[in-house]
Amino acid sequence: MKTIEDFNFENKKALIRVDFNVPLDDEFNVSDTNRIEAAKPTIIKVLEDGGSAVLMSHLGRPKGERNPDLSLEHICKTVSEVLGVQVKFVSECSGEVAETAVAELEMGEVLLLENLRFHSEETSGDQNFAEELTKLGDIYVNDAFGTAHRAHASTTVVAKFFPQNKCFGYLMSKEIAAIEKVMQTGEKPVLAILGGAKVSSKITIIENILDKVDHLIIGGGMTYTFVKAKGGKVGDSICEDDKMDLAMEILRKAEEKGVKVHIPVDVIAADDFANNANTQITGSDEIPDGWQGLDAGPRTLENFKEVILQCKTILWNGPVGVFEMENFAKGTIAVGNFIDEATQNGSFSLVGGGDSVAAVKQFGFEEKVSYVSTGGGAMLESLEGKTLPGIAAIMG
Ligand code: AMP
């Protein structure tokens, strides 16, 4: 696996695929600079080596049409501020105009190309378009984990035109290392905490993860499919009746593989899906009709705490309650605090995929866990055991 550390960029132009798909406010200002900051170490390394950086990214979903609202020019000023270097912008991402801008680029300079997705050839993974991109740099660096699960021209296809001169940037390397640590090389006991709304969206992850973990905590809306499958009463809780057989199959497989599964024993039940609903603590298998479980109960959290504190490697994907409502966020906050404590005691903790990252940021756990993945979909696919095309293209 070649990383950016394997190259010296002196007098070289690095063509870097970054993920600058950042949120913009009504006045086209960047409202969250995280993704730009995440790519900074890679860009700075190229410049410090004495090279220049050509940055390519997508922004939003322009669906192959030029859309001024989604021009990367809007973010150029912010990228300059974050990098501490004046960034140039070119209004094309391929062809003569882009090639001229690259040719005029001096070492130590940074050039930002226009939105790749103004061309439908980007998302279709067009060979010719990818070959055009090849003309814009000497070494291809992929640092866009957020799009690594897409076989697009700039994330995957372009790599084959740089058979020797291709590598991962620092962000990609960190993401890959974090996943490996959980899925392959993690110190035992290994724990996965899977929450979120539905079993159906997590099923492939659960099946894949059963081979890697010693403990599995199931939380959130998924709880009720498992509880009902085991004969419990779940009232009006979210439940996928057609997935109950699957839930039993998962429990059977887990037992076979020696994985201990921990399911909530009590819940905070509400008489409405609303923050101001009436609540009661009930056993997770005796929720009255008209009530629905919206958060983990106190005995459950005690159990979770005991498991989390004994594990050396922890993966967290999905909230254990409806964290968007203050009154049902306590379980998710408690789980975050237990992971914080475990991390302080030396455990490795990875948070990633979908809404768990939003929850972690909202409650300030970002600094407290070992690593927060920057890629929602890419992380989920990694946890499902898939080889991401953007990663395979650099390895191959
Ligand atoms: P996911 O994207 O699958 O990780 O699901 C995250 C969503 O699950 C969040 O929006 C939570 O509000 C929701 N969720 C968690 N627990 C429950 C629950 N007990 N009932 C309904 N939705 C839940």
Side-chain angles (χ1 to χ4, degrees), residues 20 60 198 255:
F20 284 174
K198 291 182 169 177
E255 195 173 354

Side-chain angles (χ1 to χ4, degrees), residues 260 331 344:
K260 293 207 176 72
Q344 284 186 43

Side-chain angles (χ1 to χ4, degrees), residues 127-369:
Q127 299 284 328
N128 294 333
F129 181 68
E131 205 169 354
E132 284 291 302
L133 297 176
T134 312
K135 297 176 187 162
L136 306 176
D138 306 310
I139 300 169
Y140 170 67
V141 183
N142 190 348
D143 212 18
F145 183 70
T147 45
H149 57 317
R150 307 279 182 223
H152 293 171
S154 70
T155 63
T156 301
V157 186
V158 70
K160 73 172 177 214
F161 297 104
F162 293 91
Q164 303 305 324
N165 292 329
K166 57 182 177 180
C167 63
F168 295 118
Y170 287 120
L171 176 64
M172 273 287 240
S173 304
K174 269 201 293 191
E175 295 274 358
I176 294 168
I179 296 164
E180 260 179 24
K181 226 165 171 178
V182 171
M183 307 292 268
Q184 287 163 28
T185 59
E187 194 184 332
K188 282 174 159 293
V190 179
L191 161 69
I193 305 167
L194 297 182
K198 291 182 169 177
V199 178
S200 49
S201 62
K202 299 282 159 86
I203 186 65
T204 329
I205 296 183
I206 299 178
E207 282 177 340
N208 185 47
I209 221 131
L210 283 180
D211 287 324
K212 329 274 182 200
V213 302
D214 306 293
H215 293 271
L216 173 63
I217 286 181
I218 303 255
M222 282 201 292
T223 305
Y224 308 99
T225 305
F226 282 88
V227 170
K228 190 168 174 186
K230 287 171 74 177
K233 268 185 70 210
V234 299
D236 292 358
S237 305
I238 185 173
C239 181
E240 292 171 282
D241 287 349
D242 61 334
K243 294 290 177 292
M244 291 199 307
D245 288 348
L246 202 61
M248 291 309 285
E249 178 71 12
I250 288 168
L251 294 176
R252 197 188 52 72
K253 272 194 196 152
E255 195 173 354
E256 213 176 86
K257 293 175 194 284
V259 179
K260 293 207 176 72
V261 182
H262 310 270
I263 299 174
V265 289
D266 61 350
V267 301
I268 311 291
D271 63 357
D272 191 10
F273 190 80
N275 191 43
N276 60 1
N278 296 308
T279 60
Q280 60 169 311
I281 298 169
T282 74
S284 59
D285 59 352
E286 48 190 25
I287 303 172
D289 288 340
W291 294 73
Q292 52 188 305
L294 294 186
D295 201 4
R299 279 195 296 131
T300 299
L301 291 175
E302 275 305 309
N303 294 347
F304 285 1
K305 180 177 183 181
E306 201 188 314
V307 180
I308 292 169
L309 289 183
Q310 61 172 278
C311 287
K312 289 281 160 218
T313 303
I314 302 165
L315 162 74
W316 185 17
N317 170 270
V320 300
V322 184
F323 75 98
E324 297 92 336
M325 298 183 202
E326 197 188 342
N327 289 337
F328 306 106
K330 294 189 188 81
T332 300
I333 294 172
V335 166
N337 282 328
F338 303 148
I339 297 176
D340 176 16
E341 197 177 331
T343 310
Q344 284 186 43
N345 293 343
S347 301
F348 176 81
S349 53
L350 165 65
V351 181
D355 272 340
S356 30
V357 175
V360 158
K361 284 188 180 165
Q362 184 176 326
F363 303 126
F365 292 122
E366 220 175 344
E367 304 300 320
K368 296 175 176 169
V369 297

Side-chain angles (χ1 to χ4, degrees), residues 10-30:
E10 192 177 0
N11 288 321
K12 300 279 186 216
K13 287 179 177 164
L15 177 62
I16 312 178
R17 178 49 158 108
V18 288
D19 180 5
F20 284 174
N21 185 26
V22 291
L24 300 179
D25 66 17
D26 293 346
E27 275 149 18
F28 301 106
N29 298 309
V30 177

